[in-house]
């Protein structure tokens, strides 16, 4: 039986570049306080940052639910927005629909989703085009 040690939800707002990355930073400091190993925090933070920026760039809003047990850190990012019609294509390194404005901000390499997949131990994407996207990922800590 997994003991829940910590759980918190965060709102992410579409278009809010000004606060981009703040949720990932907040979770990083919680993980430090919980004594999670730095290399695991680093992997989790990459995933959180990429997921957060994708909501800001491509969705209307999202709830990011962060849950820590003795065994793992689990994150569910459920957004409302346009969704992803072809998940396999979206997962292809280098594929991006980022606008010129997003690219000018340094985004749009098409590496966010592949980076999330490579940084975590479990990863899934569920999407309903026109409704939204849910990312679920897990980093094992024990
Ligand atoms: N939450 C989302 N809602 C709708 N579409 C998304 C979402 N996340 C990703 N996508 C789509 O998948 C594509 C690939 O995403 P990915 O994060 O890999 O790259 P990127 O955001 O375009 O560039 P980078 O992450 O390297 O800055 C995006 O360009 C976008 O079309
Ligand atoms: Mg991205």
């Amino acid at each position: 039986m997994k003991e829940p040690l910590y759980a918190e939800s965060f709102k992410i707002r579409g278009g809010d570049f000004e606060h981009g990355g703040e949720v990932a930073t907040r979770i990083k400091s919680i993980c430090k306080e919980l004594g999670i190993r730095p290399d695991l925090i680093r992997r989790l933070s990459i995933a959180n940052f990429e997921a957060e920026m994708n909501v800001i760039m491509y969705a209307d809003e999202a709830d990011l639910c962060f849950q820590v047990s003795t065994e793992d850190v689990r994150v569910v990012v459920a957004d409302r927005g346009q969704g992803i019609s072809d998940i396999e294509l979206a997962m292809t390194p280098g594929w991006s629909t980022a606008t010129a404005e997003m690219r000018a901000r340094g985004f749009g390499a098409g590496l966010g989703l592949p980076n999330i997949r490579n940084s975590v131990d479990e990863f899934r994407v569920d999407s309903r085009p026109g409704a939204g996207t849910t990312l679920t990922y897990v980093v094992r800590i024990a």
Side-chain angles (χ1 to χ4, degrees):
M1 184 60 189
K2 279 193 248 172
E3 234 177 278
L5 296 177
Y6 191 96
E8 189 170 349
S9 282
F10 301 86
K11 288 265 182 221
I12 303 166
R13 287 180 212 296
D16 190 7
F17 284 94
E18 198 189 326
H19 297 106
E22 285 184 4
V23 170
T25 301
R26 175 78 190 109
I27 291 175
K28 188 187 281 184
S29 67
I30 293 166
C31 287
K32 280 185 194 161
E33 283 168 32
L34 292 172
I36 294 171
R37 250 168 53 199
D39 59 316
L40 303 179
I41 296 178
R42 206 144 43 232
R43 285 170 42 206
L44 177 71
S45 297
I46 290 168
N48 286 338
F49 179 76
E50 295 295 350
E52 182 177 3
M53 292 315 306
N54 280 354
V55 171
I56 290 170
M57 292 198 283
Y58 308 113
D60 300 332
E61 55 164 359
D63 292 296
L64 184 156
C65 300
F66 160 72
Q67 199 177 314
V68 184
S69 75
T70 51
E71 291 172 18
D72 55 39
V73 179
R74 232 159 243 279
V75 177
V76 179
V77 188
D79 75 44
R80 271 75 58 195
Q82 61 190 333
I84 300 175
S85 50
D86 187 337
I87 291 174
E88 203 185 321
L89 187 59
M91 291 297 306
T92 306
W95 192 84
S96 176
T97 61
T99 62
E101 195 194 332
M102 293 169 186
R103 289 170 198 270
R105 291 177 187 269
F107 300 105
L111 293 174
L113 291 172
N115 268 343
I116 298 173
R117 183 182 48 196
N118 293 336
S119 299
V120 300
D121 296 306
E122 288 173 40
F123 177 57
R124 64 175 291 165
V125 185
D126 298 288
S127 193
R128 283 196 303 137
T133 301
T134 299
L135 301 188
T136 306
Y137 47 90
V138 175
V139 173
R140 285 194 283 275
I141 60 174

